[in-house]
Amino acid sequence: MAHRTSVVWDDVFTAYDFGPEHPMNPVRLDLTTRLARSLGVLDHVDLVHPDVASDELLATAHEPAYIEAVRAASADPAAADLNRGLGTDDDPAFRGMHEASARIVQGTVEVCRRVWEGEADHGVNYCGGLHHAMRSHASGFCIYNDIVVGIQWLLDHGVERVAYVDIDVHHGDGVERAFWNDPRVLTISLHESGRHLFPGTGWPGDVGGPDARGSVANVALPPGTVDASWLRAIDAVVPPLVRAFAPQVLVTQHGCDTHLEDPLAHLAITVDAQRRAHDELHTLAHEVCDGRWVALGGGGYELVDVVPRSWTHLTAIAAHVPVDVRTPVPDEWRSHVQELLGRPGPRRMGDLPEDRLPIWVQPWTMGHNPDHPLDRSVFGTRQAVFPLHGLDPWFE
């Protein structure tokens, strides 16, 4: 049976593996797939088993000399070129690195193709979302930038406007830089302030290049931001800008390292709020671009309690079979986690007690508090970008 949602998965994706001590352990991908399967979510999607992207495709986002450097390090990790960001603590070289990274790229391109050509309404690649990789070097656990290649494929195949929304805790710097001066791509990133977190970029005054002013929007969130404030920031910036831009395809990155238990960052978001953000972006895709939505993974380093639940929610929403946060986590999955890692998995698909649901979010239209750090950050972004789209930063 053909389904209207395509999801990238193959067991071979666990080969994107920087080693047992690295935060980006591929067990998070395997556990996500197992949880989604246990809950019946994968019964409602078409699974995509991509091959390895060609060098020609990779070169739409990366210098050929960089691709060659990745190939060399992939064949012999001792040959990794530190000047290309390879062989570092963040991006250790490993055998098969080129193939593993290029397969992720091909997966994202394939779901972009299916969505644009009408074979699917939605496409999900939670193995992807590698938003830090640059044209000439690796960065931040990212070798190839599957997002840039996917968006460029869309542009090269007739799409005139793509909106990209990044809710990872880290700034989506590689995607922003690739399309900095391209008015066809709107990039919006909500992330912990670069004053406190890698990569140290993504400021409200960054609005795009001279030929594309208004094509970039950044919300630099203060450390300690909680659910209601985070969702308020998303609601205050993303829907108005995306509606004004009127994209034909919405591409989103759903790094779940915003979570309060993530070891690499300082926000305080729950799985419940992440699920709501996934759902709101899904709804926005149906509103503005006839449901053409490509949803990607990204960061997330609490490997058991956070990533599998958050991305199972994302996949379920894309498949139009959403999972309630009160749903018990299947015993078979928790038993597997216990056997594999010697620790119990979470009991429910959400974090919050029922008496704290739903999360109440104060709409921006009710006013803002200039003394509140979150509201100051949001207003700085609105003030810099909204007028470039004909929007009123105070009220809309």
Side-chain angles (χ1 to χ4, degrees), residues 19 37 88 104 122 129 136 154 163-164 207 323 326 351 365 373 392:
R37 184 171 282 127
T88 63
I104 292 170
H122 309 324
S136 62
L154 291 169
Y164 170 71
V207 297
V323 176
R326 295 166 292 192
D351 293 323
T365 51
D392 188 323

Side-chain angles (χ1 to χ4, degrees), residues 71-99:
R71 281 188 173 277
S74 182
D76 179 8
D81 186 349
L82 292 172
N83 292 322
R84 296 286 188 178
L86 302 170
T88 63
D89 288 343
D90 275 2
D91 297 284
F94 59 92
R95 291 194 179 275
M97 179 172 64
H98 167 78
E99 291 78 12

Side-chain angles (χ1 to χ4, degrees), residues 376-395:
R376 285 202 303 271
S377 296
V378 170
F379 186 68
T381 303
R382 289 172 61 102
Q383 192 172 34
V385 182
F386 273 38
L388 299 173
H389 292 267
L391 301 172
D392 188 323
W394 291 90
F395 302 112

